[in-house]
Amino acid sequence: MKRRPSTNIFPIVLILAVVISVFIIILYRAPTRQLHQPEIAFVIDDWGYSLNNIDLLFQIERPITLAILPHLRYSKDIAEKVKKSGKEYDAILHLPLESKSGKAPERDTIRRNMKKDRVLAILGDDIEGVPGIIGVSNHQGSRATENKEIMRIILEELKKRGLFFLDSRTTPVSVCGNIAEKIGLKYAERDIFLDLGQKKEEKQYRAYVKKQIKELINVAKTRGRAVAVGHDKKLTLEVIKESIPEIEKENIKIVPLKKFVGRYEK
């Protein structure tokens, strides 16, 4: 009886190994699909000078966080209106901190050369001055937020009080994120500024804010989330309101800032 020639399976195994390896490489290099809907949080700074734009803000009817300056004529009134407005809106303290420009400092602006007791006294007074807040952000502060000693005092106190910190990122070398990570503080930071600091003609101003919102959309799509900071200005709020359909058409959800605030752990 003739013996059947033995089948050499090595070439088959080799081919299968090559096919599987190529498949794995393709999967590895393929762009990762977003598993979650991109999200955006809006923060509007500098409330307290007037009530001029508060009704317009509430017409947006999406989650927005108001950063309220302490000890201004309407600071407490706005905090109370936010409290009564329902679940869409939150209030945080917009804490005045020392800037490099030194221009137009607010009352009791915290400076880097202050003693700890003085810093804590101002911070406590400011927190009490805006009732119902859930967090704090820095107003100006390009110099103070670069200072480890001052920011550690402030951030440790916020942690004791159960408040989060939003870094407005008025300087690219802020130390706040590193300190928040070390002490386990709830923390977030600004991605995009929406509006111009200087006075501009209305058409140019609107065009700029619209451009910034498009950039905000791009950041949210890339990173999965983005924080936008604007200011208590009628045109800014109008453009945000007008842009809601465009944002949501891009399958981006507008959420409260507090949803982005995670606790850093060592």
Side-chain angles (χ1 to χ4, degrees):
M1 178 181 287
K2 289 185 178 179
R3 293 184 60 188
R4 280 178 149 186
S6 61
T7 305
N8 189 349
I9 65 169
F10 179 75
I12 298 173
V13 173
L14 182 61
I15 292 170
L16 285 174
V18 171
V19 170
I20 291 170
S21 299
V22 171
F23 183 68
I24 291 171
I25 291 170
I26 291 171
L27 285 180
Y28 180 78
R29 292 186 175 179
T32 305
R33 281 188 174 184
Q34 284 182 327
L35 299 178
H36 303 289
Q37 182 179 13
E39 296 174 330
I40 283 172
F42 283 107
V43 181
I44 305 299
D45 285 354
D46 292 358
W47 294 95
Y49 291 107
S50 76
L51 297 173
N52 292 346
N53 297 320
I54 195 71
D55 290 337
L56 174 58
L57 177 100
F58 290 149
Q59 290 172 20
I60 294 174
E61 297 182 343
R62 296 293 187 281
I64 292 181
T65 298
L66 290 78
I68 305 172
L69 288 160
H71 310 304
L72 298 180
R73 181 173 179 179
Y74 296 101
S75 299
K76 288 187 176 180
D77 289 344
I78 291 172
E80 188 62 30
K81 286 181 180 293
V82 171
K83 183 179 177 181
K84 292 178 178 179
S85 68
K87 297 179 180 179
E88 298 285 349
Y89 302 92
D90 292 308
I92 62 176
L93 168 67
H94 202 35
L95 179 68
L97 298 178
E98 183 181 5
S99 69
K100 291 177 182 177
S101 70
K103 292 181 180 178
E106 303 291 337
R107 167 184 162 183
D108 289 335
T109 293
I110 294 176
R111 301 181 182 281
R112 70 194 187 287
N113 58 357
M114 286 181 171
K115 300 293 185 183
K116 181 177 181 178
D117 289 349
R118 178 63 176 152
V119 172
L120 292 177
I122 293 173
L123 178 59
D125 191 38
D126 288 352
I127 289 172
E128 295 301 317
V130 186
I133 61 170
I134 62 173
V136 174
S137 67
N138 56 295
H139 173 61
Q140 299 185 1
S142 55
R143 191 179 296 280
T145 55
E146 293 181 0
N147 186 281
K148 293 179 182 178
E149 290 75 18
I150 285 295
M151 293 315 302
R152 191 173 188 96
I153 292 169
I154 293 170
L155 298 185
E156 286 181 342
E157 182 65 17
L158 297 187
K159 185 181 178 183
K160 289 178 185 177
R161 291 175 178 260
L163 300 170
F164 67 76
F165 185 70
L166 169 67
D167 189 350
S168 301
R169 296 290 294 180
T170 54
T171 170
V173 289
S174 169
V175 298
C176 299
N178 288 336
I179 295 172
E181 183 175 5
K182 288 177 182 177
I183 68 175
L185 174 71
K186 292 181 178 180
Y187 172 88
E189 60 184 40
R190 184 268 313 163
D191 293 296
I192 299 290
F193 274 127
L194 293 179
D195 42 21
L196 297 167
Q198 61 270 34
K199 185 72 175 176
K200 293 289 182 181
E201 180 267 330
E202 179 176 338
K203 184 177 180 182
Q204 184 181 5
Y205 187 101
R206 283 181 175 275
Y208 181 84
V209 177
K210 288 179 180 178
K211 178 180 76 68
Q212 293 300 92
I213 287 178
K214 287 185 183 297
E215 179 62 21
L216 180 69
I217 290 171
N218 291 335
V219 172
K221 285 183 173 181
T222 301
R223 302 179 186 171
R225 59 173 54 182
V227 176
V229 172
H231 296 83
D232 174 18
K233 298 178 181 180
K234 183 172 182 284
L235 291 178
T236 298
L237 297 177
E238 285 178 348
V239 175
I240 291 174
K241 184 181 178 183
E242 294 164 5
S243 301
I244 297 298
E246 177 188 354
I247 293 170
E248 295 181 342
K249 186 179 178 181
E250 296 286 342
N251 192 36
I252 294 173
K253 186 176 182 181
I254 299 169
V255 300
L257 173 67
K258 60 192 174 189
K259 185 173 180 183
F260 289 174
V261 177
R263 184 180 297 280
Y264 274 128
E265 300 290 354
K266 272 189 169 184

